[in-house]
């Protein structure tokens, strides 16, 4: 049975508060339809807020939450509600192709307080898929197969989630690492070089070496990798000062004061992202926690032993 819904107005008010901390303005006509139509937000469902560094990302606060199970594959629903328009482009078929091939455990929707609806995700952490199986889907970009050897050299061969960005006609593969398969810092640097990204400084390489997943962004137009993201798992003990580079004031303010709706310390995640020629940061604060994440971010699980176990999830 689904948990009792929280008041959508309360969620919206929290988004407004978080947006103010991050220097962004909350556009009700963009945000409210996403919260309302996708049934936001169930009391024990995951809700994540995020801010990205850089001038091009100023004025925006992202939010993501789980789609109620009753909706099922959210793409037809998003189409019916006017969040996306019908298209012959493969981007419109990808989520349905994944759903037909993979036992998807849950779906997520992603939006921004300024831009509104952005993305949909299919998450299957209990049914990890080999890249070879997903590469064969009719709507999958050719770039997946064209980069398969590169991915394999760095242990990127098992996928836990697929994201689809309808606004930018891009997609994401979230590769799952095990504690044994995570690349060492030098290997991370080599991977980023081969993918056409700037090589980070040594402290950043050491920081992202603890990543549980690698998020790779691809398009249908080119074999070139558009973006790479790496982050250690979410933690209730993570402080802005733990990040090996200074955070922008708006990001640190957001991380320290973002609203949240659970007991205990705020749970945070800080990711490093790269596009050709640029490194930037995404700071995430969790507004609500799923039951599993509540368990995984308990203080006992944040010990070195607990962190190793969390990587295996």
């Amino acid at each position: 049975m689904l948990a009792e819904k929280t008041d959508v107005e309360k969620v919206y008010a929290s988004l407004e508060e978080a947006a103010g901390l991050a220097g962004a303005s909350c556009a009700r006509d963009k945000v409210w339809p996403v919260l309302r139509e996708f049934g936001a937000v169930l009391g024990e469902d995951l809700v994540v807020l995020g801010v990205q560094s850089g001038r091009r990302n100023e004025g925006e606060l992202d939010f993501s939450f789980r789609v109620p199970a009753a909706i099922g594959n959210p793409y037809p629903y998003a189409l019916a509600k006017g969040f996306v328009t019908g298209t012959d482009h493969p981007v419109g078929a990808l989520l349905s192709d994944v759903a037909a091939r993979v036992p998807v455990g849950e779906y997520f929707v992603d939006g921004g307080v300024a831009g509104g609806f952005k993305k949909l995700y299919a998450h299957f952490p209990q049914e990890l898929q080999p890249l070879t199986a997903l590469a064969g889907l009719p709507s999958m970009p050719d770039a997946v197969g064209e980069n398969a050897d590169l991915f394999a050299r760095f242990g990127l061969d098992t996928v836990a989630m697929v994201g689809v960005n309808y606004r930018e006609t891009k997609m994401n593969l979230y590769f799952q690492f095990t504690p044994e398969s995570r690349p060492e810092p030098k290997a991370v640097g080599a991977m980023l070089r081969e993918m056409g990204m700037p090589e980070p400084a040594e402290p950043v390489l050491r920081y992202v070496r603890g990543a549980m997943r690698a998020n790779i962004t691809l398009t249908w137009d080119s074999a070139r990798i558009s973006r790479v993201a790496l982050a250690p798992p979410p933690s209730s003990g993570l402080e802005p000062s733990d990040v090996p580079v200074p955070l922008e004031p708006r990001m640190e303010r957001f991380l320290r004061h973002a609203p949240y709706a659970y007991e205990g310390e705020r749970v945070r995640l800080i990711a490093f992202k790269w596009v050709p020629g640029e490194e930037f940061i995404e700071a995430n604060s969790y507004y609500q926690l799923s039951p599993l994440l509540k368990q995984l971010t308990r203080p006992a699980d944040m010990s070195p032993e607990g962190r190793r176990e969390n990587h295996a999830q």
Side-chain angles (χ1 to χ4, degrees):
M1 178 180 294
L2 294 176
E4 182 181 354
K5 291 182 181 179
T6 53
D7 183 355
V8 178
E9 280 286 4
K10 180 179 178 182
V11 176
Y12 180 80
S14 295
L15 286 177
E16 279 194 317
E17 179 184 350
L21 292 167
S25 296
C26 201
R28 186 180 176 89
D29 63 325
K30 298 287 188 180
V31 175
W32 184 256
V34 180
L35 299 181
R36 180 191 64 222
E37 299 296 349
F38 283 95
V41 175
L42 302 176
E44 290 210 326
D45 272 351
L46 192 65
V47 184
V48 188
L49 313 179
V51 179
Q52 299 189 70
S53 65
R55 292 192 63 181
R56 64 193 175 109
N57 296 312
E58 290 179 354
E60 185 63 289
L61 171 93
D62 294 323
F63 60 94
S64 303
F65 61 89
R66 192 177 75 92
V67 175
I71 290 177
N73 174 4
Y75 178 75
Y77 184 83
L79 193 63
K81 296 295 183 178
F83 292 108
V84 295
T85 56
T87 177
D88 293 331
H89 192 283
V91 71
L94 182 56
L95 209 67
S96 297
D97 281 353
V98 171
R101 167 65 178 79
V102 179
V104 177
E106 57 191 352
Y107 295 94
F108 291 91
V109 58
D110 180 82
V113 298
F117 174 88
K118 291 183 179 181
K119 302 179 184 179
L120 295 172
Y121 302 85
H123 191 213
F124 33 92
Q126 306 304 320
E127 298 285 349
L128 300 175
Q129 296 294 304
L131 180 66
T132 51
L134 295 177
L137 295 178
S139 57
M140 192 64 71
D142 291 340
V144 175
E146 291 167 347
N147 285 289
D149 289 343
L150 170 58
F151 294 151
R153 285 201 298 278
F154 294 100
L156 306 180
D157 51 18
T158 305
V159 179
M161 185 161 68
V162 172
V164 187
N165 186 327
Y166 297 94
R167 181 183 301 172
E168 299 181 4
T169 321
K170 296 179 179 179
M171 60 84 60
N172 306 83
L173 293 173
Y174 289 77
F175 290 96
Q176 184 83 22
F177 292 126
T178 66
E180 295 74 29
S181 69
R182 290 197 307 273
E184 294 293 334
K186 288 185 179 179
V188 174
M191 179 182 77
L192 291 169
R193 282 198 307 273
E194 286 202 45
M195 291 182 176
M197 308 298 159
E199 186 171 354
E202 183 64 27
V204 175
L205 290 174
R206 290 197 300 269
Y207 178 82
V208 300
R209 187 261 183 266
M212 184 174 67
R213 292 177 178 172
N215 173 6
I216 307 294
T217 303
L218 300 164
T219 73
W220 283 265
D221 300 327
S222 168
R224 188 177 187 180
I225 293 169
S226 295
R227 190 182 67 183
V228 181
L230 295 166
S235 169
S236 62
L238 180 64
E239 292 293 333
S241 58
D242 295 332
V243 184
V245 299
L247 296 178
E248 294 176 11
R250 65 186 176 93
M251 300 178 74
E252 183 163 352
R253 185 169 59 245
F254 162 75
L255 283 173
R256 293 195 182 282
H257 304 292
Y260 64 107
Y262 46 88
E263 296 181 356
E265 292 185 85
R266 249 182 224 92
V267 173
R268 304 178 176 115
L269 179 148
I270 300 177
F272 278 82
K273 298 186 174 185
W274 299 269
V275 296
E278 183 183 356
E279 175 182 279
F280 59 106
I281 300 170
E282 181 178 56
N284 295 278
S285 181
Y286 286 67
Y287 175 70
Q288 286 185 178
L289 302 177
S290 66
L292 177 60
L293 195 55
K294 284 182 181 178
Q295 179 183 355
L296 295 179
T297 54
R298 291 178 306 182
D301 292 316
M302 291 298 100
S303 66
E305 294 77 11
R307 289 180 186 273
R308 285 195 290 270
E309 290 175 5
N310 289 350
H311 284 306
Q313 299 295 323

